[in-house]
Amino acid sequence: MTAEQARTIEQEYVESHPSSAENYRRAVAAIPRGVTHDVRFLKPFPLYMTRALGSKKWDVDGHEIIDYAMGHGALILGHSNPAVVEAVSEQVHRGTHYGGSHELEVEWASRVANLVPSIESVEFTSSGTEATLMAMRLARAFTGREKIMKFAGHFHGWHDYAIVGEQISGEARRAPGVPPQIYETMVVAPNNDLDFVAKRLAERDVAAVILEPSGASYATIPLPEGFLERLRELTSETGTLLIFDEVITGFRWSPGGKQAKVGVTPDMTTLAKILAGGLPGGAVGGRADIMELLDFNNETGKKIGHPGTYNANPVSAAAGNAALSLVADPGVQQHADALAKQLRAGFNQAIVAQGVPGFAWGESSAFHTMLGREVGNQSGGDIHTPQGVPAAELKAGSPARLGQPLQLGMLNLGVDLFHGGGFTSSAHTPQDIERTVAAFEQTLARMKREGLFG
């Protein structure tokens, strides 16, 4: 065995990325945990980027990387899409903040309403977290009820109400800094359990049910067939509002989001990510009679205040208009979906070829991987719904002893899998997929040689 072959995956990673290591050393002295988003944390250190274009990005050590993080799902058009770049560049020269209304926000709102079936009126925020917070407030004010129901394991941001029930177990684990009274206003339904929903909504004290319409964690835990249709019936029967959190699925599952794809219309929808073309920006929209609670002229006497320095700022609005004009073409989603399907199938073929336990799955342009666990319907092809795997295991993903080497090994070969999964975009190519599948199989083989599969 040569000295080169004797290096572990992690040793190669450390030796190949000295500038990222130095940046991380400086970061931990100035930033809690050394990163600015929890999911960017990576041992022994994360990579630091300098630029990005199309399906690629480049780190501070000069490595070219095929990217599947894609702005945490915001970049269905890829990095630095020319139309978005041009719109942002032009707007920066005109002004970044007018401290007043502008035409771009009106155009942006109109585009959103034209694409998303449930949205008759829309309110912009600065993030998806703010959007779900406002949706819950609107639901409580509109119905006069205090409780909000969510499903265990579904993610709706980091505000106090959303953090309740974030774990798939549904345990009422107290998050530090969240008052116990908050937990009393939230009802956590077991994942995908419509019997629980039916019984609990019958008490008629729940203002709204909120969920990711793809299933928890952008289809990590898929929904059963007919789930959304039945949930729509249950909420309508009990006077409960239905909120689709389409921060990830919006404009990605189809130009009109998951709701347009399946034909189920909620009462409100929350959006972010693709909405603003990769810049900061979110929104909540829905039925006009609900949204009018934000109106100064509404006759209910329940005007909801909504400040926000960067709500619909001109730069984000310019980027959003440019992006939405492109994603209105279903060919954008169809291209990304086809490549993700090819990627999932390729990963599963590589797993079978290497004879290791694991599988890849997902839907639309999203994909996930799990190593160390067999699945009932593994056949070396595309998998939508893994059979026989508990939801808690799907949510957790690969154990750290396998997940971290996989991520580091793929980065060594120029691929960012974003913690074992990620998103394809309209900028990815079949050649990107071929290179990624080859890198995946090469990494699995190396992990086997290191004895990581036992």
Side-chain angles (χ1 to χ4, degrees):
M1 178 182 294
T2 66
E4 181 75 12
Q5 291 173 326
R7 286 191 306 173
T8 66
I9 289 173
E10 182 169 333
Q11 286 170 340
E12 180 182 346
Y13 179 85
V14 171
E15 293 171 11
S16 300
H17 303 94
S19 297
S20 279
E22 173 58 20
N23 272 280
Y24 185 63
R25 184 192 67 76
R26 294 168 53 211
V28 294
I31 302 170
R33 75 206 183 280
V35 294
T36 53
H37 188 309
D38 281 357
V39 302
R40 295 179 197 147
F41 180 74
L42 177 65
K43 293 180 179 180
F45 53 82
L47 295 190
Y48 287 77
M49 303 300 160
T50 59
R51 64 188 180 95
L53 179 66
S55 63
K56 313 289 198 311
K57 58 189 179 184
W58 288 262
D59 69 14
V60 292
D61 289 290
H63 301 108
E64 180 183 279
I65 299 168
I66 302 173
D67 185 29
Y68 294 101
M70 280 291 119
H72 298 193
L75 303 177
I76 195 171
L77 299 172
H79 291 284
S80 303
N81 175 270
V84 176
V85 169
E86 181 180 5
V88 170
S89 179
E90 290 181 358
Q91 185 55 48
V92 166
H93 289 288
R94 294 192 183 107
T96 61
H97 199 304
Y98 298 133
S101 301
H102 53 91
E103 291 179 324
L104 288 172
E105 67 189 9
V106 180
E107 178 186 350
W108 199 14
S110 297
R111 287 185 184 278
V112 173
N114 287 336
L115 287 172
V116 184
S118 66
I119 295 183
E120 297 175 343
S121 179
V122 61
E123 182 82 355
F124 290 107
T125 65
S126 291
S127 69
T129 289
E130 292 176 38
T132 61
L133 178 60
M134 176 55 76
M136 292 181 189
R137 184 174 296 177
L138 282 163
R140 288 177 167 125
F142 184 80
T143 63
R145 303 173 182 178
E146 291 189 354
K147 297 186 184 298
I148 299 290
M149 177 184 288
K150 62 168 296 188
F151 288 90
H154 287 231
F155 182 74
H156 304 297
W158 55 263
H159 59 77
D160 287 359
Y161 299 108
I163 210 70
V164 179
E166 184 184 2
Q167 301 301 310
I168 191 64
S169 65
E171 295 175 359
R173 181 172 65 87
R174 293 290 189 262
V178 178
Q181 294 87 346
I182 294 292
Y183 288 81
E184 297 173 5
T185 70
M186 299 298 295
V187 177
V188 180
N191 189 66
N192 296 350
D193 189 341
L194 286 177
D195 289 336
F196 176 93
V197 173
K199 292 177 183 178
R200 190 61 187 78
L201 292 189
E203 298 182 31
R204 296 180 180 265
D205 62 344
V206 173
V209 177
I210 186 170
L211 80 160
E212 295 182 69
S214 61
S217 297
Y218 60 99
T220 299
I221 308 171
L223 298 175
E225 185 176 350
F227 183 93
L228 293 175
E229 290 83 351
R230 180 55 181 152
L231 182 61
R232 175 69 281 185
E233 292 173 356
L234 291 172
T235 52
S236 297
E237 290 168 1
T238 56
T240 309
L241 299 182
L242 179 60
I243 305 169
F244 278 6
D245 181 349
E246 297 229 39
V247 165
I248 289 181
T249 57
F251 315 113
R252 179 173 287 279
W253 261 236
S254 79
K258 176 73 172 184
Q259 59 192 266
K261 194 172 185 69
V262 299
V264 176
T265 304
D267 300 294
M268 283 188 284
T269 299
T270 57
L271 299 164
K273 298 189 186 291
I274 295 169
L275 168 76
L279 271 67
V284 56
R287 286 168 27 194
D289 59 336
I290 300 171
M291 299 302 296
E292 73 173 357
L293 292 177
L294 291 156
D295 193 335
F296 287 104
N297 299 317
N298 84 76
E299 299 177 356
T300 66
K302 299 189 234 180
K303 162 71 173 87
I304 293 177
H306 187 216
T309 299
Y310 293 101
N311 292 347
N313 70 84
V315 181
S316 292
N321 283 322
L324 295 189
S325 70
L326 296 174
V327 301
D329 175 5
V332 169
Q333 293 82 12
Q334 291 166 5
H335 174 88
D337 289 359
L339 291 183
K341 182 176 182 178
Q342 180 183 343
L343 186 62
R344 293 189 297 261
F347 278 5
N348 281 323
Q349 289 163 8
I351 288 169
V352 171
Q354 287 300 315
V356 299
F359 58 95
W361 79 106
E363 66 177 68
S364 186
S365 52
F367 66 94
H368 315 277
T369 63
M370 178 184 287
L371 299 180
R373 178 69 154 85
E374 301 286 0
V375 64
N377 52 337
Q378 170 61 292
S379 59
D382 184 30
I383 294 177
H384 172 236
T385 305
Q387 296 175 3
V389 183
E393 291 188 28
L394 292 175
K395 177 79 171 180
S398 301
R401 66 180 178 82
L402 297 174
Q404 180 172 314
L406 173 65
Q407 187 167 5
L408 297 182
M410 293 294 281
L411 287 170
N412 287 340
L413 296 173
V415 179
D416 187 356
L417 277 191
F418 193 54
H419 293 274
F423 307 89
T424 51
S425 73
S426 64
H428 284 92
T429 66
Q431 291 73 31
D432 288 330
I433 303 303
E434 291 173 8
R435 284 180 55 193
T436 300
V437 171
F440 184 74
E441 184 162 7
Q442 186 176 338
T443 300
L444 292 181
R446 188 167 180 181
M447 291 171 67
K448 280 178 64 178
R449 289 198 302 270
E450 292 185 16
L452 295 174
F453 289 100

